[in-house]
Every structure is written in C-alpha cells, then in structure tokens.
Amino acid sequence: MILGAFAGVSLTTGLADDSFLSPAVPEDGRSALVIGGIGMGGLTGLFLPLILLGLVRGTEEKPRLRTAEALRKVLAVLVFDVYLLAVSVVVAQLGWVLPEGLTVLLSVFVIGFSWMPLALIPWERFGLTDVGARLGSRNGSDSNKPD
C-alpha cells in the first residue's frame, strides 16, 4: 500500500509538472494532485494484491475468485482511481483563487470524503454484491433462519 502511494504521488506530480495537465494545474493547487495520488496509489496498492491473492487462495466459505470476477474488480479499482484523479484535478483548480495552505486543507477533506456518495449507492440492485453472499443465497442458506 505504501509503495502504491509513493507510485501514485510520482505519477500525479509528473502529470502536474511534465504533461498536458501542467498548464491547467496552478502552482498553489499542485498539492491537491499529490493528495489525490496518495489516495489513488494507496487504494491500488492495497486492493490489487488482495485481488491477486483471491485468485489463488480460497476456502469452503469463500471460494477462489474466477478470472472474470478478478478482472471486474481490477477494473472497478482502476475506474475509482480515475475518479479520484478527476476529483483531484477539480480541487486543484481552487489554487487559482485560494492560497496553498487553504487549498491543501480543503483538498484533504474533499478528496478524502469524495467516495462517500459512492458508498451510498445500492450496489446490490446492480448485481455488484459480494461473491460469498451470492453463493450463499443460491445454495439456499439463509442467515435469517433460526438455528
């Protein structure tokens, strides 16, 4: 996770300094991209090894991930990374009107809590629930039944 955060910071500072985004990111908003890179890289560094571990390890309660499920989860992590990067770029625009210290403070809260609306979406309506819960409901086991 820490290595992923360092890689995310390196990527976002490169985007802010040496890429097509450099004219769009003000000097006082550069730190918002760094904060977004920490979140993006840390998330990827945490979940990617866990997904890969899920491909090779499994128990009777939680079976191994199938390749399609693992790819779907990796894609979901990457989509969320792009979401965090987009939020970081939007928050970096505050650097045009606010001083750097205030931009840093606001970016920590905005980027840190930007995932909250995604947590409120009822993902089970879209069929994006946990694998173990789906397998348990298919087998007829109901956790609400008394023992």
Side-chain angles (χ1 to χ4, degrees), residues 14 16 23 25-26 28-29 42 50 65-66 70 76 80-82 89-92 99 103 111 119 128 132 142 146:
V25 177
D28 288 343
L50 290 176
L65 286 176
R66 295 183 309 217
F80 190 72
D81 286 345
V82 170
V89 170
V90 169
V91 174
T103 304
I111 295 168
L128 300 173
D142 191 2

Side-chain angles (χ1 to χ4, degrees), residues 5-6 11-12 17 20 26 41-42 46 49 64-65 81 85 87 90 94 97-98 100 106 110 113 116 127 136 141:
F6 280 123
L11 175 74
T12 54
D17 294 338
F20 64 94
L46 175 67
R64 291 186 341 186
L65 286 176
D81 286 345
L85 183 64
V87 169
V90 169
L94 291 174
V97 293
L98 298 175
E100 185 177 7
L106 287 174
V110 170
F113 292 114
M116 286 295 195
S141 63

Side-chain angles (χ1 to χ4, degrees), residues 25-49:
V25 177
E27 188 63 35
D28 288 343
R30 186 175 177 271
S31 58
L33 281 179
V34 172
I35 292 169
I38 293 170
M40 181 181 71
L43 181 78
T44 305
L46 175 67
F47 281 116
L48 196 59

Side-chain angles (χ1 to χ4, degrees), residues 62-134:
K62 186 166 175 122
R64 291 186 341 186
L65 286 176
R66 295 183 309 217
T67 306
E69 290 173 325
L71 288 175
R72 185 174 44 107
K73 288 181 184 227
V74 168
L75 183 64
V77 168
L78 292 177
V79 165
F80 190 72
D81 286 345
V82 170
Y83 171 77
L84 279 180
L85 183 64
V87 169
S88 300
V89 170
V90 169
V91 174
Q93 300 309 308
L94 291 174
W96 293 111
V97 293
L98 298 175
E100 185 177 7
L102 194 54
T103 304
V104 170
L105 181 66
L106 287 174
S107 64
V108 167
F109 287 106
V110 170
I111 295 168
F113 292 114
S114 67
W115 59 273
M116 286 295 195
L118 296 175
L120 298 175
I121 294 174
W123 295 107
E124 58 273 355
R125 286 189 180 179
F126 303 113
L128 300 173
T129 58
D130 193 24
V131 177
R134 284 189 301 199

Side-chain angles (χ1 to χ4, degrees), residues 1-27:
M1 186 168 103
I2 292 172
L3 290 175
F6 280 123
V9 167
S10 174
L11 175 74
T12 54
T13 55
L15 283 174
D17 294 338
D18 304 326
S19 75
F20 64 94
L21 278 180
S22 57
V25 177
E27 188 63 35

